Amino acid sequence: SYFPGDLLALTSVLKSPFSSLNDSDVLEILENSWHLRGRPCQRFELMLELVADHDKFLAQTLRWGREKVHELPPHDFLREIFSRLSGWRAHQLAYEGQEGVLAAANIEKFWSWSANLSGEGITSVGGFLEYLTELEDDETPGTAAPGGKWVQLMPIHKAKGLEFPIV
């Protein structure tokens, strides 16, 4: 089940284009919170405090997301997070030319798709993530060609240990 305090998910966000942190910053945050490794909720909170030392706005947005993840439908939650972090622009800037335009268009298509899922009874972010997990072997939602650059979604357990040029 979905746990908003998931440290791997937080680390993924900190290393993504949504974050202003570099690899050294993320490593420092992980090292400085290591002593709480057996207490994930406390470690999550400490990590957010350490993130605030580098980027207060990012830390505020992550706190907001943690509070709202169970209250908002997936489309509204994603729209607000992307809006707060200018996520589609970060992905667009990560690519050059037409690939950047395509990356931004794919994120906007994803938003639209997430809005349509409420009609199928998926009204929570946790339900949305479970639905995505069920789709991991089904390629119908996406239209990207193999070998191209696109935003790829996968459950954390499947992505763990993999390296991507852009997350």
Side-chain angles (χ1 to χ4, degrees):
S1 73
Y2 177 70
F3 177 64
D6 188 334
L7 299 173
L8 183 58
L10 175 59
T11 303
S12 296
V13 170
L14 297 180
K15 290 192 50 64
S16 77
F18 301 114
S19 170
S20 63
L21 304 179
N22 60 39
D23 289 346
S24 297
D25 296 335
V26 175
L27 184 59
E28 175 186 327
I29 289 166
L30 290 169
E31 287 174 347
N32 289 335
S33 64
W34 181 250
H35 67 283
L36 292 175
R37 65 188 172 278
R39 298 182 297 237
C41 289
Q42 292 172 336
R43 186 174 185 195
F44 188 95
E45 288 302 320
L46 177 59
M47 286 176 70
L48 287 180
E49 289 174 24
L50 296 169
V51 168
D53 291 342
H54 296 278
D55 185 338
K56 287 185 176 138
F57 180 73
L58 176 62
Q60 290 170 346
T61 301
L62 293 171
R63 285 185 197 283
W64 175 89
R66 189 167 190 216
E67 291 171 12
K68 299 295 183 183
V69 71
H70 296 294
E71 297 174 19
L72 296 175
H75 178 72
D76 294 341
F77 181 82
L78 293 170
R79 182 185 62 227
E80 184 63 27
I81 288 290
F82 277 108
S83 175
R84 286 173 178 246
L85 298 177
S86 300
W88 68 95
R89 297 289 174 232
H91 276 287
Q92 188 172 11
L93 293 173
Y95 300 103
E96 295 181 14
Q98 186 62 26
E99 289 179 343
V101 172
L102 181 60
N106 283 340
I107 289 175
E108 289 180 26
K109 182 178 178 181
F110 180 71
W111 276 347
S112 176
W113 179 65
S114 70
N116 295 332
L117 292 177
S118 64
E120 295 184 30
I122 299 171
T123 57
S124 70
V125 174
F128 181 65
L129 293 173
E130 287 176 22
Y131 180 77
L132 290 176
T133 300
E134 292 170 10
L135 288 177
E136 70 183 305
D137 294 327
D138 182 5
E139 297 182 16
T140 54
T143 57
K149 292 183 180 178
W150 60 86
V151 176
Q152 183 176 3
L153 297 174
M154 64 180 61
I156 289 175
H157 72 274
K158 187 172 181 179
K160 191 174 181 178
L162 298 177
E163 292 185 25
F164 296 97
I166 298 174
V167 176

